[in-house]
Amino acid sequence: MANILIIGAGGVGRVVVHKCVKNRETFKKITLASRSIDKCEQIQSEVGKENLDIAQVDADSVEELVNLIDKIKPDMVLNIALPYQDLTIMEACLQTKVHYLDTANYEHPDSAKFEYKEQWAYNERFKEAGLMALLGSGFDPGVTNVFCAYAQKHYFDEIHTIDILDCNDGDHGYPFATNFNPEINLREVSSNGRYWENGEWIETKPMEIKMVWDYPEIGERDSYLLYHEEMESLVKHINGLKRIRFFMTFGESYLTHMKCLENVGMLGIEEVEHNGCKIVPMQFLATLLPDPASLGKRTKGKTNIGIVATGIKDNKERSIYIYNICNHQETYKETLSQAVSYTTGVPAMIGAKLMMENRWMRHGTLNMEEFDPDPFMEELNKQGLSWNIKEF
Ligand SMILES: NC(=O)c1ccc[n+]([C@@H]2O[C@H](COP(=O)([O-])OP(=O)(O)OC[C@H]3O[C@@H](n4cnc5c(N)ncnc54)[C@H](OP(=O)(O)O)[C@@H]3O)[C@@H](O)[C@H]2O)c1
């Protein structure tokens, strides 16, 4: 029976709390800590004081984190704050000897690189301390890595190509808003694209490569090639891989808004002088946009995220598609959150559950596909994210 500390009371943090409370047989004591205590109080009022303790913490400060962890004495920390806090929270976990999990790779606030290098550099220290750091336990990264491991284990002798396909067909009724933290989201989609083929990374301009995919229960949607962090670990761990790409759907209106914001400099991440004070345009834009945590109530429609793998089984070519469909209104009914937060928060809870039940436990910094996918796939079906497989 585990004692856990969840850091970050945003859209995803809310889902993690709601789902951990539904799994009290694993999580005996749950504490939510975040920068703004009022957001923790709101979530506490939703699940009941008897189920959740709360605390205030600035997760940019290792010292504050260590003091909090020393007080709560959790078995693990679930980092559901922003990617900027990954390294400080990992450092604090090492100092206090507790396990770690996150949903997104470390990013420096001044330069978006989307790479695991700095977190993988902690591998030896986590190993020596007898601790585990599970990296990227959201949907993508996260479930998509597990889908690839499942395909590798049960369907292929060798996987040759993987396309990860992410469609959010939700409509929140605003002209423009992002479904998770605007700064992180807009940095991701406005960067150059990149995919991996025959051992090399090939760079593309943002939105340069487009294909149309027919998403089950949604229909045909324009899908654009982006770089996405799970590809970096999957190329290391999937046998025989020749190509991996990531595609995300965007509607015309979203792309027009993005282009306009980019053209006027609103996506900049460097400080500019404005009326005697310094502002970062992207941060100012994030202040103006609707809070993603507030979109839940208004969002209708579905998400569909999955992987298409092709390769060889018993000397024959094979192609499979594994995907999950999630309905925004149903997730709101259950957790007061839209499906993008839900599809991230549920896998974070499952990762923690498997760690705390010793079903996924190894020492070092580990990516999701390095574990047996079967228990995770079973939990997805039980915890609200059931999946389908189609063979072509
Ligand atoms: N793998 C995936 O599939 C996937 C998908 C979507 C999102 N994500 C990741 O999930 C994470 C959470 O996303 P979200 O949409 O929930 O973001 P969000 O709504 O912006 O919430 C982030 C929360 O972290 C808190 N926070 C930020 N800096 C902090 C600090 N220094 N100390 C303590 N708390 C701090 C924020 O506090 P305030 O309330 O005070 O601002 C906020 O409550 C992000 O890392 C995102 O990249 C992963």
Side-chain angles (χ1 to χ4, degrees), residues 248-263:
M248 192 178 271
T249 57
F250 295 101
E252 233 168 83
S253 164
Y254 185 96
L255 292 180
T256 309
H257 277 85
M258 277 266 305
K259 196 81 221 144
C260 176
L261 291 166
E262 190 172 20
N263 285 345

Side-chain angles (χ1 to χ4, degrees), residues 146-314:
V146 175
F147 284 171
C148 292
Y150 190 78
Q152 177 163 263
K153 181 173 174 186
H154 297 287
Y155 284 84
F156 292 97
D157 297 325
E158 251 183 36
I159 295 183
H160 292 161
T161 70
I162 295 172
D163 280 339
I164 301 167
L165 303 166
D166 178 334
C167 171
N168 176 11
D169 202 48
D171 180 6
H172 42 58
Y174 286 115
F176 186 74
T178 62
N179 290 293
F180 67 96
N181 183 277
E183 201 182 323
I184 305 296
N185 188 203
L186 291 170
R187 272 166 66 142
E188 179 178 271
V189 300
S190 59
S191 299
N192 277 344
R194 216 180 331 152
Y195 65 100
W196 186 89
E197 189 160 32
N198 297 324
E200 271 178 45
W201 288 104
I202 297 152
E203 191 149 305
T204 65
K205 296 261 174 300
M207 312 294 166
E208 187 186 328
I209 297 181
K210 175 177 112 173
M211 68 152 174
V212 176
W213 184 259
D214 191 0
Y215 294 88
E217 294 187 28
I218 290 175
E220 290 190 351
R221 292 289 180 276
D222 290 345
S223 308
Y224 294 85
L225 187 143
L226 299 182
Y227 178 69
H228 224 242
E229 64 201 64
E230 64 263 49
M231 291 193 285
E232 189 187 7
S233 68
L234 287 167
V235 299
K236 285 176 62 171
H237 299 129
I238 300 296
N239 301 329
L241 195 61
K242 293 184 171 61
R243 189 187 71 199
I244 183 165
R245 307 181 297 185
F246 180 98
F247 290 88
M248 192 178 271
T249 57
F250 295 101
E252 233 168 83
S253 164
Y254 185 96
L255 292 180
T256 309
H257 277 85
M258 277 266 305
K259 196 81 221 144
C260 176
L261 291 166
E262 190 172 20
N263 285 345
V264 297
M266 283 300 285
L267 301 187
I269 57 174
E270 264 153 43
E271 276 185 351
V272 295
E273 186 96 13
H274 172 72
N275 278 350
C277 56
K278 293 200 187 310
I279 59 163
V280 175
M282 176 80 94
Q283 286 174 3
F284 177 62
L285 174 63
T287 307
L288 297 179
L289 290 175
D291 177 0
S294 72
L295 297 178
K297 213 177 194 160
R298 316 169 47 109
T299 308
K300 298 190 171 100
K302 292 175 182 169
T303 62
N304 178 328
I305 316 174
I307 65 138
V308 174
T310 68
I312 302 285
K313 179 76 176 172
D314 300 329

